[in-house]
């Protein structure tokens, strides 16, 4: 058992790095694999095409610079070369907004706006200022470009070069204070007595009349009452400006102190508040430019605005209040001529999503689709922090969108007149990143149709039907089509093959599905010298009958020690039992090291993980540490029953959400887990942020039961095995305060079998290789000692 004093619990890190590889029989060394890209090799990323489809650009760092550099691959010569900084800075952005006939595009870069001619592929700056311009889009039927500057909307006429300010927001309109009855009498009496005052008033009135006439030529003065303006946009015809005013209640933030600083003084960082904030209020308005009037978008006809969540039945004596359920308003997404627009609206309790048709002339909306979930709305293409994926179908008579209506995220269309909804895809799999071809004749999208852990790129006719698979390598295929849609750039990886960049002809264009050509070779010699394991993707039955997917790493029989380590991925809604290179690549390499040392390793896509549909996604609603924990316990039991693992030799570890599950496992399933490494863990969900936590657990004030059964701090008395806590002291996501509070609880409970290692310069995602090395050396030593009895 681990033993430590209170002092050592907090300042263990001060003792320096533990003896690095004691007992390690693998050829891999923790210090090496924790170097990250320096050991594995730099990964290409952010692939994007030149507008003429002749050059593929991507970020890469094969020469070990301080940051990634831009590289270019020539389709004609097949040469790859590094682009110098000034040339890279002069290239168009990869995010272009096109005009209706695709002859021009506009983009923002380094705070300025540029216009790109797609015939000559030449761009010219529209602005060159110290201020920051953003959000460019075409308006005035393609004759002008609109953009935002200093929270106001401007337009620039392409032909004349006229720059015009279109909005004038003010906190309050300047009005003379109203006189009370006494002062009004005196005012009128003075005018009646003195002729000179009457003459002066007449002159002033005439001046104000002239000023009023001149002011009518300027943008309408719109009062915001001090509320911030967001989503500022003008329609394609140039007739209507839409904007949203937000009213965000003041919330007390948390201070994160930095102890290791350049100044030598402790420096405080102000960070987020805790879950339970009063909801932000959103109001959308329309400014009719010609009529010079501003009016609200009316949303009082949305279905379910008076919805009271089912969980409130657990609190019969508590009155539920949510007078205004309107949350974030995304859009508008305009049709081609600017006569109609679509809004994507979320409820502030996250349980509804409304897709509505907006009439800009009246501000009234018609509901096209309501997506409701007793838990919370999410899923691929459905939106989480903002709007989801949607757009207009050719002809502007239908809108396409994503929905989990069948339990999996799929493509749908809705007729704006009949309100009839049609499914374009269906099945027990997910659709990702759907978009229409340039000619609007077909769909392109990614899907895990073949296997939850395999993502391929597909094409399908506009109205649905048979799919054509365009990629053919098992793993993950992130495809970027060239503007002419003749070429496919593919960021591809497999379980034991890190991401590389490939290129191939689009089979839709050629009729042939050939193998892709690899254009980057990034792995270092050190990485290539080891035979990296290809973990087996298995399934097992959970105690409630659900089928659970997991990665299994097995050691050779000659070194098998009958001990097992279960890794718990983080982020909650994330997938790791898949067939591509993991974002947890350091952990993947650590698992190879563990297997070399005789451990069996299991990596579970527990309840709440991505890739398995709505029911799996919401399986943790109102009880984190429920089914997501029992899936780990069931996995441990499966290892004992099928793979010969000793019941007293099972450890568990993970970071963030994985650290949380580790704590819950050590506290609530001590008979299963003998040791746990909890990294950057949540110890009390009431201390985490609102946007993530309130979706899953509602709020502490309205659903205290959910928080008390989901937070490790309430179960700390259950600790029996050996617990190692590891946390960055400047973590501004899961605050270090959370683990300080948990350590105090463990001290009060008299628990001695725990230790804490703290990292003074690390945030939530560690950066320094020395910190990674220290962290995983301690975790390895924990398992060696607690599971195998090795010092």
């Amino acid at each position: 058992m681990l033993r430590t004093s209170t002092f050592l619990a907090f300042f263990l890190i001060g003792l320096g790095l533990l003896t690095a590889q004691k007992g390690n029989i693998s050829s891999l060394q923790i210090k090496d694999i924790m170097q990250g890209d320096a050991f594995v090799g730099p990964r290409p990323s952010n692939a994007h095409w030149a507008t003429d489809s002749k050059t593929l650009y991507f970020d890469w760092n094969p020469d070990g610079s301080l940051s990634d550099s831009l590289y270019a691959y020539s389709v004609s010569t097949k040469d790859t070369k590094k682009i110098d900084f000034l040339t890279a800075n002069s290239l168009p952005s990869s995010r272009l907004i096109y005009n209706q006939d695709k002859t021009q595009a506009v983009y923002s870069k380094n705070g300025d706006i540029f216009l790109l001619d797609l015939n000559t592929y030449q761009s010219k700056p529209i602005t060159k200022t110290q201020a920051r311009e953003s959000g460019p889009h075409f308006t005035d039927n393609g004759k002008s470009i609109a953009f935002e500057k200093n929270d106001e909307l401007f337009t620039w006429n392409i032909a004349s070069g006229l720059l015009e300010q279109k909005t004038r927001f003010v906190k309050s309109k300047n009005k003379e204070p109203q006189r009370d009855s006494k002062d009004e009498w005196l005012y009128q009496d003075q005018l009646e007595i003195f002729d000179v005052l009457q003459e002066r008033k007449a002159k002033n009135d005439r001046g104000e009349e002239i000023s009023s006439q001149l002011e009518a030529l300027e943008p309408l003065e719109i009062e915001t009452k001090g509320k911030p303006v967001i989503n500022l946009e003008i329609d394609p015809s140039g007739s209507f400006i839409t904007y949203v005013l937000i009213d965000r209640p003041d919330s007390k933030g948390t201070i994160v102190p930095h102890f290791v600083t350049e100044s030598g003084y402790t420096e405080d960082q102000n960070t987020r508040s805790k879950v339970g904030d009063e909801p932000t209020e959103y109001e959308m308005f329309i400014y009719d430019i010609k009529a010079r009037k501003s009016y609200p978008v009316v949303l009082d006809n949305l279905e379910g605005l008076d919805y009271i969540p089912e969980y409130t039945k657990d609190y019969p004596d508590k009155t539920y209040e949510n007078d205004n359920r309107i949350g974030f308003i995304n859009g508008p997404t305009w049709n081609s001529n600017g006569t109609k627009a679509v809004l994507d609206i979320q409820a502030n309790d996250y349980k509804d999503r409304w897709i509505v048709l907006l009439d800009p002339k009246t501000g009234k909306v018609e509901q096209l689709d309501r997506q409701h979930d007793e838990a919370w709305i999410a899923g691929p293409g459905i939106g989480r922090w903002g709007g989801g994926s949607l757009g207009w179908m050719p002809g502007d008579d239908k809108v396409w969108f994503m929905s989990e209506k069948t339990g999996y995220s799929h493509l749908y269309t809705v007729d704006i007149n009949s309100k009839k909804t049609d499914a374009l895809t269906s099945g027990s799999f997910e659709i990702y990143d759907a978009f229409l071809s340039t000619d609007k004749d077909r769909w392109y999208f990614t899907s895990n149709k073949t296997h939850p852990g395999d993502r391929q790129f597909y094409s399908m006719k506009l109205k649905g039907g048979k799919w054509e698979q365009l990629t053919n390598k098992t793993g993950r295929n992130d495809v970027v089509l060239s503007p002419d849609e003749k070429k496919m750039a593919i960021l591809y990886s497999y379980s034991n093959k890190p991401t590389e960049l490939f290129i191939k002809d689009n089979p839709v264009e050629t009729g042939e599905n050939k193998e892709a050509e690899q254009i980057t070779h990034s792995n270092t010699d050190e990485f290539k010298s080891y035979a990296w394991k290809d973990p087996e993707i298995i399934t097992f039955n959970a105690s409630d009958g659900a089928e659970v997917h997991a990665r299994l790493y097995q050691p050779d029989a000659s070194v098998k020690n009958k001990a097992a380590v279960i890794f718990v991925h983080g982020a909650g809604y994330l997938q790791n039992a898949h067939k591509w290179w993991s974002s947890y690549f350091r952990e993947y390499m650590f698992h190879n090291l563990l297997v070399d040392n005789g451990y069996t390793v299991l990596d579970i896509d527990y309840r709440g993980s991505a890739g398995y549909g709505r029911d799996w996604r919401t399986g943790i609603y109102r009880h984190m540490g429920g089914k997501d924990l029992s899936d780990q316990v069931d996995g441990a039991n499966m290892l004992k029953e099928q793979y010969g693992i000793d019941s007293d030799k099972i450890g568990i570890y993970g970071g963030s959400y994985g650290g949380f599950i580790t704590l819950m496992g050590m506290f609530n399933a001590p008979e299963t887990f003998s040791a746990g490494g909890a990294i950057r863990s949540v110890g009390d969900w009431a201390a985490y942020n609102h946007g993530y936590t309130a979706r899953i657990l509602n709020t502490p004030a309205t659903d205290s039961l959910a928080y008390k059964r989901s937070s490790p701090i309430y179960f700390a008395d259950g600790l029996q095995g050996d617990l190692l806590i590891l946390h960055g002291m400047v973590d501004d996501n899961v605050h270090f305060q959370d683990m300080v509070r948990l350590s105090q609880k463990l001290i009060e409970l008299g628990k001695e079998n725990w230790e804490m290692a703290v990292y003074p310069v690390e945030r939530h995602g560690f950066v320094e290789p020395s910190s990674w090395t220290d962290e995983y050396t301690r975790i390895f030593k924990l398992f060696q000692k607690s599971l195998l009895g090795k010092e």
Side-chain angles (χ1 to χ4, degrees), residues 173-213:
K173 295 182 179 180
N174 294 324
K175 298 178 180 178
E176 292 185 6
Q178 294 292 319
R179 291 182 287 270
D180 60 23
S181 58
K182 179 187 74 171
D183 290 341
E184 181 63 25
W185 185 91
L186 286 172
Y187 174 76
Q188 296 296 337
D189 185 57
Q190 292 293 97
L191 292 176
E192 184 178 339
I193 294 173
F194 299 107
D195 292 341
V196 67
L197 293 182
Q198 292 182 35
E199 293 172 0
R200 289 180 178 180
K201 183 179 185 303
K203 290 180 181 179
N204 287 336
D205 288 348
R206 178 55 182 161
E208 290 180 3
E209 182 180 337
I210 294 172
S211 296
S212 179
Q213 292 173 349

Side-chain angles (χ1 to χ4, degrees), residues 45-57:
S45 63
N46 190 31
H48 57 283
W49 290 89
T51 51
D52 61 3
S53 301
K54 294 180 180 179
T55 306
L56 174 63
Y57 295 104

Side-chain angles (χ1 to χ4, degrees), residues 350-367:
Y350 314 112
K351 301 181 188 301
D352 275 289
R353 177 197 184 197
W354 298 277
I355 298 173
V356 302
L357 188 67
L358 170 67
D359 182 352
K361 295 180 180 178
T362 64
K364 295 181 179 180
V365 301
E366 296 178 66
Q367 183 173 300

Side-chain angles (χ1 to χ4, degrees), residues 219-236:
L220 177 69
E221 194 176 67
I222 300 175
E223 187 174 27
T224 66
K225 297 181 180 179
K227 298 177 182 178
V229 179
I230 63 171
N231 289 15
L232 187 55
E233 187 175 336
I234 191 168
D235 79 293

Side-chain angles (χ1 to χ4, degrees), residues 26 28 496 530-535 553 587-597 601:
S26 172
L28 296 173
N496 58 357
Y530 180 83
W532 297 99
K533 296 164 182 63
D534 182 2
Y553 303 73
E587 289 81 350
Y588 164 78
M589 293 188 290
F590 181 62
H591 297 161
N592 277 258
L593 181 147
L594 288 176
V595 170
D596 289 346
N597 280 276
V601 179

Side-chain angles (χ1 to χ4, degrees), residues 526-539:
E526 291 80 5
F527 180 83
K528 290 187 290 186
S529 67
Y530 180 83
W532 297 99
K533 296 164 182 63
D534 182 2
E536 180 184 2
I537 305 297
I538 66 166
T539 61

